[in-house]
Amino acid sequence: MKKPLEKVFEMSVEETEKRSLHDSPDEMESSEDSVELKQPHKGVYLLPNLFTTAALFSGFYSIIAGMNGNFTHAAVAIFISMVFDGLDGRVARMTRTQSAFGAQYDSLADMVSFGLAPALVAFTWALAPLGKVGWIAAFIYAVGAALRLARFNTMIGLEDKRYFTGLPSPAAAAIVAGVIWAANDSGIAGASLAEIMALLVPIVGLLMVSNVKYRSFKDLDVKGRVPFVVLLIAVLAFVIAALEPAIVLMGLFCLYGLWGLMGRVSAKFR
């Protein structure tokens, strides 16, 4: 008795062709079903992606404003982008319209708004006179933001939601934009702060890829009851922020950036 493999080789070409033509449709369908291909969704969710587009537009406008020398507008646009960036995720969760496309689109928009825009505005405002040192400092910030966003995407669902590993890119952008906004409003030229910005910008970029833990405040309960004095303090904070928004925002985000470092240092001495 010959083996099945030998029988196949002994069959003539005509026999093999006839056999393939007489295969049942069920057998053909089962072979096609064995390889399942996931079809991509043909549409995208409109509402959350509109907020992401608004954040991207603000970041792009910041770059254009910086190129034209409107540094106050450029810094304010970065803060506006932060507002839209915070809204798109919340809107997606509230309306249950989260998607893989939205997550990737949000990351690309963040790279423009919180990676490229602060680096280019800082370079145009203060770092350009330093030549190679200036653009290298700006590049360190930009690549830090890119690595920070890539690491964040790969660690979704793996790290503690109460903390960020590394300085979040919106907070890093707010530090750079806050310094530019406050200095520009005070009449301080960027060239006079070139050396300071040459240190600040790359340090902030390195903090984004560090292992320093920063509170995310995602566990903050805003629905519960609080003492009446807390409401008064919140109102007072809004009033102060309205009087000097540039200085207040710069101070808050600089303190946030230092808070993680101080927590890391204090943990070593415990």
Side-chain angles (χ1 to χ4, degrees):
M1 186 174 181
K2 296 182 179 180
K3 297 181 180 179
L5 186 62
E6 294 176 353
K7 290 183 178 180
V8 171
F9 284 110
E10 289 179 358
M11 292 172 64
S12 63
V13 175
E14 294 180 357
E15 288 177 345
T16 55
E17 289 179 352
K18 289 179 182 179
R19 187 163 183 174
S20 62
L21 290 173
H22 289 295
D23 283 344
S24 63
D26 293 337
E27 292 178 355
M28 294 176 67
E29 289 178 2
S30 63
S31 62
E32 291 176 358
D33 292 340
S34 61
V35 180
E36 296 181 358
L37 298 177
K38 293 183 179 180
Q39 297 295 329
H41 296 290
K42 294 184 179 180
V44 296
Y45 294 113
L46 178 63
L47 188 59
N49 290 313
L50 280 178
F51 283 99
T52 304
T53 302
L56 176 60
F57 175 81
S58 297
F60 182 77
Y61 172 78
S62 175
I63 296 173
I64 300 299
M67 291 169 61
N68 292 329
N70 298 323
F71 298 110
T72 298
H73 292 172
V76 171
I78 291 174
F79 282 100
I80 293 174
S81 183
M82 288 177 60
V83 175
F84 284 120
D85 181 65
L87 288 174
D88 62 359
R90 285 171 174 79
V91 169
R93 288 188 292 271
M94 289 173 61
T95 57
R96 296 182 179 179
T97 52
Q98 302 101 315
S99 65
F101 172 85
Q104 297 301 321
Y105 186 31
D106 181 67
S107 252
L108 293 172
D110 287 352
M111 182 57 206
V112 174
S113 300
F114 310 132
L116 294 178
L120 293 175
V121 173
F123 177 79
T124 307
W125 181 67
L127 298 175
L130 299 179
K132 291 183 179 180
V133 174
W135 69 256
I136 288 174
F139 175 73
I140 291 173
Y141 177 92
V143 74
L147 294 173
R148 170 72 179 85
L149 291 167
R151 185 174 66 177
F152 176 79
N153 290 339
T154 58
M155 294 180 67
I156 293 177
L158 300 178
E159 62 178 351
D160 191 349
K161 292 183 178 180
R162 298 175 300 170
Y163 296 94
F164 292 120
T165 302
L167 183 65
S169 58
I175 292 173
V176 176
V179 171
I180 295 172
W181 186 7
N184 203 56
D185 275 5
S186 301
I188 301 174
S192 62
L193 297 177
E195 290 78 10
I196 295 175
M197 293 299 291
L199 292 174
L200 177 66
V201 171
I203 287 174
V204 172
L206 294 173
L207 281 176
M208 283 190 281
V209 294
S210 68
N211 291 323
V212 178
K213 297 292 184 181
Y214 287 89
R215 282 293 302 271
S216 66
F217 299 107
K218 291 182 179 180
D219 57 336
L220 187 63
D221 185 13
V222 296
K223 297 180 181 179
R225 293 178 177 272
V226 294
F228 184 71
V229 69
V230 176
L231 179 60
L232 292 178
I233 294 173
V235 172
L236 181 61
F238 278 115
V239 171
I240 296 174
L243 292 174
E244 293 290 344
I247 294 175
V248 171
L249 290 173
M250 180 194 69
L252 285 176
F253 284 101
C254 285
L255 284 175
Y256 181 73
L258 291 172
W259 187 262
L261 288 174
M262 290 187 294
R264 186 69 176 266
V265 172
S266 62
K268 289 185 177 181
F269 287 100
R270 288 177 185 175

